[in-house]
């Protein structure tokens, strides 16, 4: 069934370029799948760009002129990662407009983007997370922590502002770096374990399932540079025994359900000798064919064009 799909990319956050790549790939795949696709881009300053929107208008005026694009669509595919996109902002806009949207609704997006809230949800459903504490940007001069720690902004994506701190004298600089992205900072103890991701998909009709896990091999901290400079390697399916694979998939689906996710979400874990430890959740993960979630579904026999088509069908 051919549908009119509006694909939105860009966004007002540091993941802007990554989102543009995801949106371009999604739009191309949907066209290959026979859908009628229109596109819109949200610039870094919040201005919407699309056919029919004149240059030089304000964010509010450009959004007003973009609303007919939403109204003319059967479904919206918001391939916007990070704040004011993945956090549920675009899902809320589509809900107010009465247009079906690919991916999770406002609640799941907002909680999934909040690493501290995600930890609380995970622990409530029996999933382990790294020991850590929440720090306000105003209090970073008073923070002390024993041993090596990972410092990260609570709501930033793509590992922006994330630092591994092994020396006490480096902690303040790391906290200041994280505070550039969020006034709330998470400081966690380091978990020495294999890094394993699991993607979960909710199909049309409500059935959800987990793809084969993917293992990340990085020379150090899997930070922003490592994610995009080609130094990290991925193994999918990850070389795991049946018990570990089952435990990871159960944990991923449990978190997917606890947050109330829809569409596709990627759950990132550390695999320890005592089982999975949840690291974080991505409710709109990278969506080029080379991104982690599509690679996992490809390993399950669902190619990229099929995957984005399934996401659109599930939304409608």
């Amino acid at each position: 069934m051919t549908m009119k799909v509006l694909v939105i990319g860009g966004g007002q956050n540091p993941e802007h370029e990554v989102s543009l790549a995801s949106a371009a790939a999604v739009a191309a795949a949907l066209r290959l799948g026979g859908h009628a696709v229109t596109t819109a881009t949200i610039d870094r300053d919040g201005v919407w760009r699309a056919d029919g929107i004149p240059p030089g208008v304000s964010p509010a005026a450009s959004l007003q002129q973009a609303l007919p694009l939403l109204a003319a669509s059967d479904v919206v595919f918001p391939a916007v990662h990070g704040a004011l996109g993945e956090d549920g902002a675009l899902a809320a806009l589509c809900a107010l407009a009465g247009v079906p949207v690919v991916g999770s609704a406002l609640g799941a997006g907002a909680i999934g983007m909040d690493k501290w809230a995600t930890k609380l949800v995970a622990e409530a459903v029996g999933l382990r997370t790294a020991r850590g504490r929440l720090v306000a940007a105003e209090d970073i001069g008073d923070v002390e922590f024993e041993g090596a720690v990972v410092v990260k902004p609570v709501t930033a994506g793509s590992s922006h502002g994330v630092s591994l701190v092994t020396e006490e004298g480096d902690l303040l600089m790391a906290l200041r770096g994280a505070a550039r992205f969020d006034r709330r900072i998470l400081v966690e103890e380091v978990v020495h374990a294999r890094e394993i991701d699991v993607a979960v998909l909710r199909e049309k009709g409500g059935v959800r399932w987990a793809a084969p896990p993917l293992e990340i091999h990085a020379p150090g901290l899997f930070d922003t540079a490592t994610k995009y400079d080609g130094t990290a390697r991925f193994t999918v399916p990850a070389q795991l025994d049946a018990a570990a694979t089952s435990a990871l998939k159960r944990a991923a689906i449990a978190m997917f359900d606890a947050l109330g996710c829809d569409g596709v979400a990627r759950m990132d874990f550390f695999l320890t000798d005592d089982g999975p430890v949840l690291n974080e959740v991505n409710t709109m993960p990278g969506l080029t064919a080379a991104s982690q979630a599509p690679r996992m579904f490809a390993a399950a026999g669902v190619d990229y064009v099929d995957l984005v088509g399934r996401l659109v069908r599930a939304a409608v």
Side-chain angles (χ1 to χ4, degrees):
M1 175 182 176
T2 299
M3 283 179 277
K4 292 177 289 185
V5 186
L6 172 62
V7 179
I8 304 174
Q12 303 173 68
N13 62 65
E15 296 184 80
H16 182 90
E17 295 297 330
V18 178
S19 173
L20 291 179
S22 289
V26 166
L30 288 172
R31 291 188 178 107
L32 284 174
H35 297 290
V37 178
T38 56
T39 61
T41 298
I42 303 172
D43 283 342
R44 294 180 187 275
D45 60 2
V47 172
W48 289 60
R49 289 193 292 108
D51 289 342
I53 301 178
V57 297
S58 67
S62 67
L63 173 56
Q64 181 182 27
Q65 294 177 66
L67 289 176
L69 296 177
L70 271 70
S73 302
D74 296 318
V75 61
V76 173
F77 200 127
V80 177
H81 314 304
L84 297 179
E86 184 177 352
D87 60 2
L90 286 174
L93 174 65
C94 293
L96 289 169
V99 182
V101 63
V102 170
S104 293
L106 169 61
I111 297 174
M113 272 291 295
D114 188 311
K115 296 178 180 65
W116 179 253
T118 295
K119 288 170 72 73
L120 300 179
V121 173
E123 290 161 8
V125 295
L127 300 181
R128 294 188 300 140
T129 66
R131 186 173 68 91
R133 60 176 288 194
L134 187 64
V135 177
E138 297 81 3
D139 299 330
I140 59 177
D142 300 324
V143 175
E144 295 180 357
F145 212 93
E146 293 183 3
V149 294
V150 174
V151 176
K152 57 181 76 171
V154 167
T155 59
S158 288
S159 297
H160 288 286
V162 176
S163 301
L164 172 64
V165 178
T166 57
E167 300 292 336
E168 184 178 353
D170 296 332
L171 180 59
L172 182 57
M173 182 180 295
L175 291 165
R176 286 173 174 163
R180 291 174 49 228
F181 298 92
D182 195 342
R183 55 173 294 274
R184 298 162 66 231
I185 303 163
L186 185 59
V187 181
E188 292 182 318
E189 66 180 1
V190 176
V191 178
H192 297 285
R194 297 168 70 179
E195 292 191 56
I196 309 288
D197 293 350
V198 183
V200 180
L201 175 69
R202 188 184 298 279
E203 301 270 17
K204 182 177 178 65
V207 174
R208 74 276 184 277
W209 58 282
L214 171 150
E215 182 166 9
I216 298 166
H217 308 276
L221 181 68
F222 190 47
D223 57 11
T224 304
T226 306
K227 284 185 177 181
Y228 303 115
D229 67 6
T231 57
R233 295 184 300 105
F234 304 124
T235 300
V236 57
Q239 300 303 301
L240 303 167
D241 60 33
T245 298
S246 179
L248 285 160
K249 287 186 174 184
R250 285 197 308 271
I253 291 174
M255 199 64 202
F256 190 93
D257 290 347
L259 291 175
C261 294
D262 280 305
V264 65
R266 195 189 76 227
M267 312 297 174
D268 301 345
F269 294 96
F270 300 114
L271 182 60
T272 72
D273 292 340
D274 298 321
V277 173
L278 181 73
N279 183 23
E280 59 183 67
V281 171
N282 296 267
T283 56
M284 183 54 72
L287 280 179
T288 69
S291 299
Q292 288 139 270
R295 286 192 190 200
M296 286 182 259
F297 287 107
V302 178
D303 68 30
Y304 184 67
V305 173
D306 187 12
L307 174 63
V308 296
R310 290 186 187 206
L311 288 169
V312 166
R313 290 193 297 274
V316 175

